[in-house]
């Protein structure tokens, strides 16, 4: 009911931007780009709300299979580079050569990693974002995403995973969003039998950690 008409708005605006129905002038291109981008943004919000609703209703089913975690991370890093375009930020991945495959839902795992990198890119204007993956003992893997962004006050750290909550900082407000990204990410990690936490210091950056079992 929500996504079908919205996908039509996004799809037809793309067709017009591609010139399928004829040439458009610069003013029309600007207007169509706003329509397309706003539609895509709204679709992202709707998807977040639907994901959260499914999880809380116990309707989120994981398609468990053996997945290449290293491949997923490298694929997301390629996408993540578009998120820091125009910023003085370097996106680096460090993947342990001995990183094993894990049993998990590859689509949802990709969503977790993308959310972590997107969040880091959102609050980092210069410096570096580093995603690291390594074995953690014999039964787990540890993924971390460290940024050199604005950081989070110690008293605000517990609020990060609350639904519809944004940390009350002017820079955060300027970034927009629904306050659902990290809440959904944590719940997806927990559905896999894993855990998620963070460390942060104002002005120095934030590191998110995700620990996942080899078999979800």
């Amino acid at each position: 009911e929500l996504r079908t008409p919205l996908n039509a708005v996004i799809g037809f605006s793309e067709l017009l931007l591609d010139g399928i129905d004829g040439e458009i002038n610069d003013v029309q291109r600007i207007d169509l780009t706003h329509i397309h981008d706003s539609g895509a943004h709204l679709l992202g919000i709707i998807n977040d709300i639907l994901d959260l609703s499914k999880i809380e209703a116990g309707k989120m089913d994981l398609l468990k299979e053996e997945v290449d975690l290293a491949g997923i991370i490298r694929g997301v890093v390629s996408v993540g580079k578009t998120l820091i375009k125009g910023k003085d930020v370097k996106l680096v991945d460090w993947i342990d050569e001995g990183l094993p495959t894990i049993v998990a839902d590859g689509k949802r795992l990709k969503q977790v990693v993308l959310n972590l990198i997107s969040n880091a890119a959102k609050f980092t204007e210069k410096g570096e974002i580093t995603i690291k993956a390594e074995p953690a003992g014999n039964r787990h893997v540890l993924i971390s995403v460290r940024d050199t962004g604005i950081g989070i006050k110690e008293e605000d750290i517990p609020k990060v995973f609350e639904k519809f909550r944004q940390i009350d900082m002017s820079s955060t407000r300027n970034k927009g969003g629904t306050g659902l990204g990290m809440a959904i990410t944590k719940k997806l990690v927990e559905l896999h039998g894993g855990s998620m936490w963070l460390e942060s210091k104002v002005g120095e950056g934030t590191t998110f950690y995700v620990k996942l079992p080899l078999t979800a």
Side-chain angles (χ1 to χ4, degrees), residues 1-12 43 46-47 50:
E1 295 292 338
L2 291 168
R3 286 190 288 205
T4 300
L6 190 54
N7 277 322
V9 171
I10 295 169
F12 280 110
L43 183 60
I46 290 171
N47 286 336
L50 291 176

Side-chain angles (χ1 to χ4, degrees), residues 14-32:
E14 284 179 350
L15 291 176
L16 292 170
L17 284 167
D18 289 341
I20 300 298
D21 293 333
E23 292 295 323
I24 58 175
N25 61 43
D26 290 341
V27 175
Q28 291 170 329
R29 182 170 298 278
I30 291 171
D31 290 344
L32 284 168

